[in-house]
Amino acid sequence: MFGSDLLPIMKNAAVLIALFLVAASVPNVGASLDDARGRPQGTPLQEKACCAATEKPAAPKDACCAAKSAPKPAACCPATPAPAPKACCPAPAKTENPESETENYTKESLYQLEVTFTDDTGKTVALGDLRGRPVVLNMFFASCGYACPLTVTDLLAIQERLPAAQRAQTLFVLVSFDIARDTTEVLAKYRAQRALDGQWVLLRGPDDSVRELAALLGVKYKQEADGMFSHSNLVTILNREGEIVHQRQGLKGGLEEAAAALAAVK
Amino acid sequence: MSTTPAFRLGALALGLLAGVELCAAGIENRESKIENSAMVLIPAGVYVPLQRTAKDPAQVAVASFRLDAQPVTNAEFLAFVTAHPKWRRSQVSRLFADSSYLENWASDLEPGPKAPLNAPVVRVSWFAARAYARAAGKRLPTTAEWELAAGAGYTGLDGRNDEALNRDLYAWLARPVPAVLADVGTAKPNFHGARGLHGLVWEWVDDFNTAMVTGESRGDSGLERDLFCGSGSIGANDTGNYAAFMRQALRSSLKGNNTTTSLGFRCAADLPTR
């Protein structure tokens, strides 16, 4: 009972996926799953909207903490901006903002996906924050013993070969599948171990963000009973608008093509 | 759009007592489709994955959860896209729904004759299904949850030897997709009181993108072996469960923005924590 429209999809099927099962076994340390699932509240954008609202006393509730009763402006926008978001908008779930800024993005821009991550310094990063730079995006996990290190080595080689001007522009973004173990500290350690410079962005996310980004990229992943992940090996190159200009599948070859695609990003 | 705790308890109690009847009532109430769709309780159980690697457990414990008693209908999805213009057919991004998204609807806000209000909504993407669930204060069921719920027969927890269920299931698999889908009420409820897990439409699960043919694939033969058909059966534990193979194959073939004539969804929710 597959609809006729399903057949071509099924034929393409799992063909493109290279799976890796990494054999190392690492004890389950780090943040509990619940901690890791905690959704970061408040992107920089929301913070701004929040504080802007206090200047316009007419509609502070709507702009800042919709549906919440009487938020105190003081709690909303403290003098020190850093830890504000939680106090500002204690909404229980990620607020999807269907009519928000997304129309600024192009039709093909991945940045339409309204998800946020945390980087290896603990800073909240919305996917859209990557806008304006050529991006090389790869999903990985820090305890991966085989495929991910190879891919990072390949990406370092690509970075090495970029002309200086372009190297200064291009971001290399690693997003972890391992929401439980890849804490900010683990990511920071990974950065140090692999000597990744300031052009590298290491992100961890709540489950929703990771799963939706993976679906958008076409990356399949599955945690095995031993805590390792099977996953597609897929390096994605985004232009400045966040549109996919190239995907490199698998682990072997494809470096020249990827570098060429990156070089072609204006 | 979020459900109140009081409603959740109410839905749970009613779901237990008379789940399916409440849904019918929900459909009548055009004001608030999402909140009114009834849920049934799926007791904790064990899901036996169809395929696993040597390192995977043979069984996966599934905590009890609530599951929509029926797939999401066109009427319910209409309420959602009315409230969330971003998910209307003419406005949705192609990244999140392919070009046949809601193609059987007459227009953005009119399901029309090919999509009866009480028939399951199809031609919806995973991203759209997820957005719907989020708006309803729910989520999509995981593969383990969905399979656990669908594993029940008409008369008992274990549907494997339920002849009537298997007859209906395979008869459905053999039939082409009808041009116009039947009302959700026409599907016979299973032991849990959930209708249409088999026999109406295929359904999205939250972790569809974990469905890949699994196995040690470091070797060069990896790509070849990972085609879902042949290699899939090697690691399978229940080769008689042809329908489960089909579901697995479907999941592993999908992308998050795909839509098809026979793929819908229903929502799940955790039990309220005490």
Side-chain angles (χ1 to χ4, degrees):
Chain A
M1 128 132 212
F2 293 111
S4 55
D5 57 343
L6 204 50
L7 290 172
I9 300 173
M10 304 248 337
K11 278 181 192 156
N12 290 332
V15 178
L16 306 172
I17 301 169
L19 299 181
F20 285 87
L21 184 61
V22 180
S25 104
V26 172
N28 197 346
V29 292
S32 75
L33 199 63
D34 281 341
D35 291 343
R37 276 167 186 267
R39 293 177 174 130
Q41 296 291 321
T43 62
L45 273 176
Q46 279 170 322
E47 242 175 287
K48 221 180 273 171
C50 160
C51 295
T54 56
E55 290 158 24
K56 275 197 205 167
K61 263 191 225 169
D62 288 339
C64 175
C65 304
K68 292 288 166 191
S69 56
K72 287 179 193 160
C76 175
C77 302
T80 50
K86 261 200 175 150
C88 169
C89 300
K94 180 168 81 180
T95 45
E96 196 197 23
N97 225 350
E99 282 76 58
S100 68
E101 312 81 24
T102 49
E103 59 261 29
N104 295 335
Y105 296 121
T106 63
K107 277 268 176 207
E108 297 298 318
S109 173
L110 299 198
Y111 301 153
Q112 293 172 92
L113 189 69
E114 295 173 351
V115 293
T116 55
F117 298 92
T118 308
D119 73 7
D120 61 327
T121 66
K123 200 181 80 183
T124 300
V125 178
L127 197 58
D129 293 347
L130 303 174
R131 190 182 197 177
R133 308 272 217 114
V135 166
V136 181
L137 182 58
N138 183 51
M139 297 189 78
F140 87 123
F141 64 107
S143 48
C144 176
Y146 179 68
C148 313
L150 283 180
T151 303
V152 169
T153 301
D154 284 348
L155 298 187
L156 282 165
I158 290 178
Q159 186 184 23
E160 185 85 354
R161 268 188 273 167
L162 285 174
Q166 209 173 4
R167 203 182 313 153
Q169 288 274 306
T170 307
L171 293 179
F172 290 79
V173 181
L174 300 177
V175 182
S176 172
F177 301 113
D178 199 339
I179 57 172
R181 291 183 301 195
D182 285 356
T183 59
T184 52
E185 294 77 19
V186 170
L187 292 183
K189 203 171 144 202
Y190 192 84
R191 176 190 291 279
Q193 277 170 351
R194 296 302 313 259
L196 306 176
D197 66 21
Q199 298 304 106
W200 289 71
V201 180
L202 276 58
L203 299 178
R204 64 180 308 277
D207 182 61
D208 275 355
S209 297
V210 174
R211 190 165 296 286
E212 293 200 353
L213 177 63
L216 200 55
L217 295 171
V219 169
K220 301 212 171 200
Y221 68 100
K222 176 170 179 275
Q223 187 160 26
E224 306 294 340
D226 61 3
M228 298 290 111
F229 288 78
S230 299
H231 60 94
S232 315
N233 286 298
L234 199 58
V235 172
T236 303
I237 293 176
L238 304 176
N239 65 16
R240 292 174 197 272
E241 284 301 322
E243 301 162 342
I244 295 179
V245 293
H246 184 76
Q247 287 194 308
R248 177 234 197 182
Q249 277 153 348
L251 278 181
K252 289 179 191 152
L255 277 188
E256 299 298 329
E257 291 85 344
L262 192 57
V265 174
K266 286 174 287 177
Chain B
M1 263 307 161
S2 68
T3 49
T4 64
F7 167 74
R8 286 183 188 169
L9 282 176
L12 178 59
L14 283 167
L16 285 169
L17 294 171
V20 194
E21 277 68 27
L22 181 69
C23 307
I27 289 164
E28 299 307 320
N29 177 358
R30 305 198 57 162
E31 291 306 306
S32 177
K33 304 284 187 310
I34 294 172
E35 285 84 350
N36 278 333
S37 69
M39 304 186 88
V40 295
L41 177 77
I42 308 297
V46 167
Y47 164 59
V48 180
L50 187 68
Q51 300 161 325
R52 62 189 182 92
T53 65
K55 283 183 283 181
D56 278 343
Q59 300 184 327
V60 176
V62 180
S64 61
F65 66 102
R66 296 182 300 150
L67 185 68
D68 283 354
Q70 59 186 31
V72 172
T73 63
N74 286 305
E76 290 167 325
F77 206 76
L78 174 61
F80 167 69
V81 296
T82 303
H84 301 270
K86 166 182 169 181
W87 292 102
R88 292 176 194 172
R89 188 173 73 182
S90 64
Q91 295 182 35
V92 74
S93 162
R94 284 285 158 269
L95 291 179
F96 303 132
D98 65 21
S99 59
S100 66
Y101 176 68
L102 297 177
E103 199 179 42
N104 56 332
W105 282 27
S107 71
D108 259 10
L109 296 176
E110 184 190 358
K114 289 184 199 158
L117 287 177
N118 293 343
V121 67
V122 290
R123 293 193 176 281
V124 285
S125 66
W126 176 81
F127 285 107
R130 239 174 172 249
Y132 175 100
R134 196 180 290 150
K138 301 179 187 175
R139 59 179 174 79
L140 296 183
T142 64
T143 302
E145 287 173 338
W146 195 97
E147 291 287 341
L148 176 69
Y154 290 137
T155 55
L157 275 174
D158 186 351
R160 277 177 298 185
N161 298 314
D162 188 325
E163 279 184 32
L165 179 105
N166 285 314
R167 194 173 54 239
D168 290 354
L169 170 57
Y170 287 99
W172 172 64
L173 291 173
R175 277 196 303 271
V177 186
V180 177
L181 290 166
D183 280 12
V184 290
T186 60
K188 196 169 162 182
N190 76 0
F191 182 70
H192 300 301
R195 290 178 191 265
L197 285 164
H198 305 297
L200 269 180
V201 289
W202 304 92
E203 295 182 9
W204 281 110
V205 288
D206 198 47
D207 53 349
F208 83 99
N209 59 346
T210 63
M212 41 192 178
V213 176
T214 156
E216 175 60 73
S217 52
R218 262 181 275 184
D220 288 339
S221 61
L223 274 174
E224 197 65 26
R225 275 166 32 99
D226 292 337
L227 290 171
F228 56 80
C229 259
S231 64
S233 60
I234 296 169
N237 60 59
D238 184 4
T239 50
N241 196 344
Y242 180 67
F245 271 113
M246 292 186 74
R247 290 194 294 272
Q248 181 80 354
L250 173 60
R251 286 173 199 141
S252 68
S253 69
L254 290 167
K255 290 182 175 172
N257 69 339
N258 284 153
T259 71
T260 88
T261 53
S262 55
L263 182 59
F265 71 103
R266 75 180 69 208
C267 303
D270 296 333
L271 293 182
T273 46
R274 265 167 261 177

